[in-house]
Amino acid sequence: MSAAEFILVEKRERVGLARLNRPKALNALNPQLMLELMGALDDFDADESVGAIVITGDERAFAAGADIKDMALATAVEMLKRDAIGYFDRIRRVKKPVIAAVSGWCLGGGNELALSCDMIVASETARFGQPEINIGVIPGAGGTQRLTRALGKALAMEVILNNRVLTAQEALHYGLVNRVAPLERYLDEALELAGQIAQRAPLALRLAKEAINNAFETSLTEGIANERRAFYLLFSTHDQKEGMAAFIEKRSPDWQGT
């Protein structure tokens, strides 16, 4: 990937870290930032030395929403042709676990970006919301769907229809985030969680993530059938043989990702 303007990328052992880097705009999401972020995620997904990915912003904001100036005068046809929201769909195709490390404002498209990740670690200062109603539109990158699945209908209605903003502790209580950490620790907590996950068998991680995501999009019968096929398939892998042998021999497994 060529040098990015709005994303900072690094690796921490087996964890890929992508930082949104528009601090003066509270990391507002514009098409260039999303293009760069997707490029970073694609690179991490293809890198066998990376087992899990963390997306973060800074202490003031994960992302305070989409860049309104970029779309204020656009027509419906222009928005359709531009399809900047389509970048969000690519996050769903990332095979490796993706964790959002959220501090400060996580609003609008920023909240939808966090919801597109597999897990969320929040700082005590994190604030989650969908304020699109205030500017005459609605969430367009999955907010009405993912937030409803995470919070339930009644609370999602209040967040989206009446601009209720959830504190970090409320988000934890309602199951929107995995954990809440002190401001000085939230990114470390996310990196530690990602590091632990990255030590697991790569193919099993991939198929487990796929099966869990299928649970939201299929019937129970179809979801169980998909899970069973993935379970049986893993018995053709080296890592299954190695993992079970290591368990029996009381040693740590040596995963090969094959």
Side-chain angles (χ1 to χ4, degrees):
M1 182 179 177
S2 59
E5 181 180 359
F6 297 129
I7 297 290
L8 301 176
V9 176
E10 61 180 294
K11 287 202 297 188
R12 303 277 187 95
E13 297 181 350
R14 284 186 52 77
V15 177
L17 175 62
R19 295 179 183 266
L20 312 185
N21 187 38
R22 294 189 72 203
K24 292 182 179 179
L26 294 177
N27 295 323
L29 308 178
N30 64 12
Q32 182 62 30
L33 183 151
M34 292 301 297
L35 178 63
E36 292 174 5
L37 177 60
M38 293 308 105
L41 296 181
D42 288 344
D43 288 348
F44 285 144
D45 213 21
D47 187 342
E48 292 186 0
S49 71
V50 171
I53 302 166
V54 172
I55 302 174
T56 194
D58 55 42
E59 291 185 355
R60 290 202 311 156
F62 176 74
D67 193 332
I68 304 304
K69 293 179 182 178
D70 186 61
M71 65 178 75
L73 299 179
T75 67
V77 172
E78 287 170 344
M79 290 296 289
L80 179 64
K81 288 182 176 180
R82 189 183 303 175
D83 194 27
I85 291 175
Y87 289 123
F88 285 80
D89 297 334
R90 290 171 58 181
I91 301 173
R92 299 174 60 208
R93 298 198 290 269
V94 176
K95 300 176 182 68
K96 295 171 183 175
V98 182
I99 299 171
V102 175
S103 181
W105 298 112
C106 185
L107 303 175
N111 195 43
E112 290 171 307
L113 175 58
L115 287 169
S116 297
C117 297
D118 301 308
M119 288 163 272
I120 302 174
V121 174
S123 84
E124 293 172 331
T125 68
R127 298 293 182 268
F128 300 87
Q130 298 288 162
E132 289 88 348
I133 200 74
N134 292 340
I135 55 173
V137 292
I138 67 171
T144 63
Q145 304 304 299
R146 292 192 178 95
L147 200 65
T148 303
R149 284 166 168 77
L151 299 178
K153 176 184 174 182
L155 186 53
M157 285 282 190
E158 189 174 356
V159 171
I160 294 170
L161 273 62
N162 201 39
N163 191 30
R164 175 171 173 180
V165 176
L166 301 179
T167 67
Q169 289 299 331
E170 285 176 323
L172 180 65
H173 174 75
Y174 292 115
L176 186 65
V177 308
N178 293 73
R179 61 187 69 172
V180 175
L183 178 60
E184 64 274 12
R185 280 282 305 160
Y186 82 98
L187 181 55
D188 289 336
E189 289 268 356
L191 290 167
E192 287 173 11
L193 176 59
Q196 292 166 3
I197 292 170
Q199 298 304 314
R200 313 296 182 183
L203 290 175
L205 283 177
R206 173 178 172 176
L207 292 180
K209 170 178 173 172
E210 184 179 298
I212 293 168
N213 283 333
N214 281 341
F216 289 94
E217 300 178 4
T218 62
S219 68
L220 178 60
T221 299
E222 187 178 351
I224 288 175
N226 289 336
E227 175 193 80
R228 197 153 300 164
R229 282 192 291 270
F231 175 74
Y232 291 149
L233 176 62
L234 286 168
F235 278 78
S236 68
T237 67
H238 166 277
D239 283 352
Q240 174 268 324
K241 301 297 185 291
E242 168 64 11
M244 292 190 176
F247 177 83
I248 293 168
E249 296 164 13
K250 296 181 172 57
R251 60 175 175 83
S252 298
D254 179 20
W255 306 122
Q256 299 296 315
T258 59

